[in-house]
Amino acid sequence: MQDASAQMALLQFMTCGLETTAIPSSIHCDHLIQAYEGAESDLKRSIVSNKEVFDFLESASKKYGIEFWKPGAGIIHQLVLENYAAPGMLMLGTDSHTPNAGGMGMLAIGVGGADAVDGMSGTPWELKAPKVIGVKLTGQMNGWTTPKDLILHLAGKLTVKGGTGSIIEYFGPGLDNQSCTGLATMANMGAEVGATTSTFPYSNSMREYLHATARGPVAKAADEISKTGFLQADKDAEYDQVIEINLSELEPHINGPFTPDLATPLSKFKQMVQENNWPTKLSAGLIGSCTNSSYQDMSRVESIAQQAKAANREAVVPFMVTPGSELIRATIERDGVQSTLESVGATVLANACGPCIGQWDRREAKNEDNAILTSFNRNFKARNDGNLKTMNFLASPEIVTAMSIAGSMTFNPMTDILPASGNSKELKFEPPHGTFLPTEGFIPGDTTFAPEPTPEPIPETPVQISPSSTRLEILEPFKSHFENPEEAGELPKMQCLMRVRGKCTTDHISAAGPWLKYKGHLSNISENTLMTAVNDEDGKVNSAYDFQEKTTSTIPDIAKRYRERQQPWMIVVDENYGEGSAREHAAMQPRWLGCCVVLGRSLARIHETNIKKQGFVPLTFKNKEDYNKIDAGDQVETVGLKGLFAGDLNTPVSVKVTKKDGSVLDIPVNHTLSVDQLNWVRHGSALNAIAAAAAA
Ligand code: F3S
């Protein structure tokens, strides 16, 4: 878990009354570190400004025996690759680039906090069986081409949706010379095509990487098991779709702006810049991040910096480096890579996400059109510096470095020449070169950032949350809807709060942006509930009517009044309600405000499960046209849940609607509740059900 998403995951875990996690778990402080002037001062400042969050995460880690990586240790995915990833492992991570660990030949899947709590509490975790896209690699990369270019090219082919619901499995002779960290780069950006994860057969480079990172026994175990046919595709494997890429023909790519699937081969990029009127001047270059900060990346980048230095040149725009981990930082410092980069003007930032997640306190180019090049993985608007006008283009670190030295968006490092000027000599770059692993081995650097391995839980540790905190709040277990959960039946009588029209994603239900700072404070973040949803009755955004006080107000405000009056409520929603992310806040907030039923034309699958986990009930209309028959203020009662709780899952379910004029309707509905899920609703949430089982 990373520090932003870990907050609610841990708060939830705390409610289930377990002494420790059911599986090995770790927390990584990386997202909350702000980048401004350089590693040391940035880290110090961010530790002060996020102290309460870090203190909370550290104390809870101690209590439950979770490995806690302090701010400065590095970025979650790099640390996972260096310390935890193992061939054949299944791992969940509360971050969308968790698939990075697929570079080690495993299944690493990005999930929401509620799913992580499933893992940590020993609850079965479910995933709709994904399709498998086979990517066959032939030929060999050479010169400037890197694994980043492969995935940038594939993103152009598949688009941001092409991998949805699929695992990408790479195979073919083109894999033979790929480094484990290069495979991790490819797997990392599988997230950009929507893939569940990406994976590779166990390889020699994985073995070497395991040995280099002091995990010889894991390599040995993988060697043994791979002899029996595991850790590789079955001989007769069939794929739902096969894409073939000849690496010998692949050229470097630059993707963007604003979407990672707008892929342009380097040779066509100048033309694209001119045709689209993109800025011709580069305004900053950033390399590193979880995507591209391996030793190999850094040593190849060094070879470019050395050429620039020999020609008496340096980056002519701000040029920043985020090492992925303390191991990488310390090793590149020892090997002189860092000093070479600094000698051409690089600023080395903290071992953290920084500019990759909008934590870039960029004081120039505010609100101006400008173009930056990064070796990161995402380039949505405002992703890096909060400026909607910053065009972020993605490329390999080698290309970013060479173009930062040229300062131009139309410079092609493979073919163009930088002319001599002043003290600077003419420069035609040679293709970069580097080594997969450091010849003298890795050094750990500052080990105070790292946790003790497999810490024992210390149950008496007080979890540090200040009662006056605006960012963290102890999560009270949700109350069961029933006085005696063992006698669960129909839900209490509800009032319809509103009918939501059209698209309503998890972003509409729980907005991100400035609200992210309240991720660990349920009552504060609930102030954003459904605030961009459209009310079908008046067509307005964030508008609801309070039938008791006869006033119109915002949706969260009306929902809060219901909560204060202890009036259970429900909402009617349209098609695919809750699409988007696995964000559990989108289910927790309505539940906290007193919502008992979400009744829609259709519901997004993951969100539907999240609703059940939080102990309320998702239903869909049997006849979609019934959507219009329930209005705000109508009284709604469930009919049939009693039979489900009694064990007959085929009991017909309907809702009895008493209209405001007194007329009564019976509307048939569908449910997808399993016996286990009914148990969650019975107890008020999945976590309550776990706590009840633990107490029994
Ligand atoms: Fe961090 Fe960016 Fe990776 S936010 S985890 S460096 S994708």
Side-chain angles (χ1 to χ4, degrees):
M1 293 163 280
Q2 40 93 334
D3 47 3
S5 51
Q7 297 169 48
M8 190 50 86
L10 276 185
L11 289 164
Q12 291 178 85
F13 179 74
M14 284 162 61
T15 67
C16 57
L18 299 178
E19 277 209 349
T20 185
T21 56
I23 50 172
S25 308
S26 64
I27 289 178
H28 304 265
C29 298
D30 56 3
H31 277 55
L32 301 178
I33 317 294
Q34 205 181 42
Y36 172 50
E37 54 194 353
E40 207 179 314
S41 54
D42 289 351
L43 188 61
K44 272 194 194 137
R45 217 179 29 257
S46 299
I47 289 175
V48 172
S49 60
N50 295 292
K51 188 172 180 322
E52 61 173 323
V53 175
F54 295 145
D55 285 351
F56 159 63
L57 296 175
E58 187 165 16
S59 60
S61 298
K62 222 171 175 181
K63 187 178 176 79
Y64 297 110
I66 295 170
E67 296 196 2
F68 178 75
W69 294 79
K70 292 190 182 131
I75 304 171
I76 178 168
H77 310 307
Q78 180 67 27
L79 289 170
V80 164
L81 198 67
E82 288 168 6
N83 295 278
Y84 300 124
M89 187 202 266
L90 171 65
M91 184 187 82
L92 304 182
T94 59
D95 189 272
S96 44
H97 293 100
T98 299
N100 187 75
M104 185 53 88
M106 54 183 277
L107 294 186
I109 299 177
V111 294
D115 290 44
V117 178
D118 282 351
M120 291 194 294
S121 61
T123 307
W125 171 76
E126 59 173 45
L127 174 76
K128 187 176 169 203
K131 296 194 160 152
V132 186
I133 298 175
V135 176
K136 182 175 180 189
L137 301 183
T138 58
Q140 267 203 3
M141 282 180 191
N142 45 48
W144 287 85
T145 315
T146 68
K148 179 66 163 275
D149 299 303
L150 182 267
I151 188 66
L152 291 174
H153 171 70
L154 188 62
K157 268 183 160 338
L158 280 173
T159 80
V160 288
K161 288 200 187 119
T164 308
S166 302
I167 288 180
I168 300 177
E169 180 174 330
Y170 290 84
F171 65 101
L175 280 178
D176 290 350
N177 296 317
Q178 300 298 333
S179 66
C180 170
T181 49
L183 301 181
T185 298
M186 287 151 62
N188 179 301
M189 278 195 69
E192 268 48 65
V193 296
T196 305
T197 192
S198 302
T199 196
F200 306 86
Y202 178 55
S203 70
N204 200 31
S205 77
M206 295 176 196
R207 178 183 306 111
E208 286 174 7
Y209 190 73
L210 285 167
H211 282 290
T213 49
R215 289 174 294 160
V218 179
K220 239 177 137 190
D223 287 342
E224 281 306 306
I225 194 84
S226 66
K227 284 182 202 153
T228 59
F230 286 101
L231 306 180
Q232 55 207 284
D234 297 339
K235 295 264 174 299
D236 53 353
E238 284 179 11
Y239 299 96
D240 294 285
Q241 180 187 352
V242 174
I243 297 170
E244 190 167 331
I245 298 172
N246 182 348
L247 299 179
S248 307
E249 290 168 3
L250 184 70
E251 64 169 304
H253 276 62
I254 300 182
N255 288 23
F258 306 135
T259 182
D261 57 358
L262 180 52
T264 309
L266 182 61
S267 57
K268 306 247 161 54
F269 191 65
K270 180 176 178 180
Q271 193 189 335
M272 277 292 272
V273 169
Q274 289 164 341
E275 281 173 8
N276 290 285
N277 266 336
W278 292 335
T280 50
K281 194 177 161 309
L282 180 65
S283 72
L286 300 102
I287 62 170
S289 89
C290 64
T291 322
N292 267 128
S293 65
S294 65
Y295 190 83
Q296 186 175 33
D297 290 332
M298 292 297 145
S299 66
R300 282 171 60 89
V301 157
E302 185 194 24
S303 73
I304 297 192
Q306 278 163 340
Q307 297 177 51
K309 206 175 152 185
N312 214 6
R313 292 176 175 274
E314 54 179 42
V316 294
V317 295
F319 175 50
M320 293 176 214
V321 186
T322 41
S325 69
E326 176 59 8
L327 183 95
I328 289 287
R329 190 212 60 76
T331 308
I332 63 168
E333 184 184 40
R334 180 203 63 193
D335 291 354
V337 177
Q338 181 168 334
S339 58
T340 309
L341 294 179
E342 284 170 341
S343 72
V344 296
T347 303
V348 178
L349 300 170
N351 311 323
C353 303
C356 180
I357 191 65
Q359 295 276 28
W360 182 13
D361 185 5
R362 189 183 186 200
R363 303 195 181 170
E364 79 278 10
K366 282 252 180 284
N367 224 8
E368 287 170 15
D369 282 322
N370 75 100
I372 64 170
L373 270 170
T374 81
S375 73
F376 306 164
N377 47 25
R378 286 223 158 133
N379 57 356
F380 302 143
K381 280 191 178 171
R383 165 97 180 173
N384 306 104
D385 58 0
N387 177 6
L388 289 167
K389 295 182 177 170
T390 295
M391 296 184 190
N392 174 352
F393 295 85
L394 307 168
S396 70
E398 293 89 326
I399 293 292
V400 176
T401 304
M403 289 176 75
S404 299
I405 287 159
S408 164
M409 290 283 286
T410 54
F411 177 74
N412 181 341
M414 287 177 76
T415 53
D416 294 351
I417 296 174
L418 289 173
S421 85
N423 289 337
S424 311
K425 295 187 213 142
E426 181 179 281
L427 175 60
K428 163 85 176 62
F429 284 107
E430 291 298 320
H433 58 86
T435 58
F436 163 37
L437 294 167
T439 26
E440 290 175 44
F442 285 112
I443 51 166
D446 184 347
T447 52
T448 59
F449 296 131
E452 60 170 292
T454 53
E456 284 298 313
I458 308 175
E460 59 277 15
T461 312
V463 173
Q464 289 187 29
I465 297 181
S466 159
S468 60
S469 172
T470 56
R471 293 179 67 180
L472 292 161
E473 177 183 54
I474 293 272
L475 196 61
E476 294 299 333
F478 293 130
K479 279 210 181 85
S480 168
H481 309 285
F482 313 105
E483 238 162 66
N484 179 356
E486 297 312 319
E487 289 168 19
E490 303 305 332
L491 291 170
K493 206 179 217 183
M494 297 161 276
Q495 195 166 63
C496 176
L497 188 134
M498 69 180 290
R499 193 168 66 230
V500 176
R501 180 193 297 173
K503 202 173 183 66
C504 192
T505 68
T506 47
D507 259 329
H508 292 82
I509 312 169
S510 175
W515 294 94
L516 289 180
K517 63 176 173 291
Y518 299 125
K519 276 194 121 172
H521 198 294
L522 185 55
S523 47
N524 279 351
I525 202 169
S526 293
E527 298 283 343
N528 76 7
T529 306
L530 287 161
M531 63 185 276
T532 49
V534 178
N535 188 326
D536 189 47
E537 288 181 72
D538 63 9
K540 291 186 183 154
V541 173
N542 199 15
S543 164
Y545 189 73
D546 181 346
F547 284 86
Q548 188 158 325
E549 294 182 21
K550 306 210 178 332
T551 51
T552 302
S553 187
T554 64
I555 299 167
D557 184 41
I558 300 290
K560 266 181 7 196
R561 294 187 206 176
Y562 275 65
R563 177 182 153 89
E564 276 154 26
R565 298 201 287 263
Q566 297 188 14
Q567 163 66 62
W569 54 273
M570 56 84 69
I571 45 171
V572 174
V573 298
D574 212 328
E575 294 281 7
N576 209 19
Y577 174 83
E579 68 179 287
S581 71
R583 188 177 307 168
E584 71 267 37
H585 292 77
M588 295 179 80
Q589 293 172 214
R591 171 73 168 107
W592 183 81
L593 288 162
C595 182
C596 297
V597 163
V598 174
L599 172 55
R601 282 182 159 141
S602 65
L603 305 171
R605 193 185 58 82
I606 294 175
H607 186 63
E608 184 181 14
T609 307
N610 283 347
I611 290 174
K612 296 170 188 170
K613 277 187 187 154
Q614 301 305 336
F616 59 130
V617 177
L619 299 170
T620 51
F621 291 103
K622 256 202 165 85
N623 310 310
K624 289 191 177 186
E625 56 277 21
D626 287 345
Y627 162 83
N628 286 317
K629 292 187 179 159
I630 310 177
D631 301 313
D634 291 350
Q635 299 293 326
V636 179
E637 293 162 79
T638 56
V639 180
L641 289 191
K642 195 170 178 197
L644 301 184
F645 283 118
D648 179 5
L649 292 185
N650 295 322
T651 312
V653 181
S654 61
V655 290
K656 179 179 155 196
V657 180
T658 308
K659 305 291 298 175
K660 294 190 284 298
D661 64 6
S663 58
V664 175
L665 302 171
D666 187 52
I667 298 179
V669 297
N670 298 314
H671 80 89
T672 54
L673 289 151
S674 66
V675 172
D676 285 343
Q677 293 166 341
L678 281 160
N679 199 37
W680 302 344
V681 176
R682 178 192 296 280
H683 287 280
S685 73
L687 298 176
N688 289 359
I690 294 169

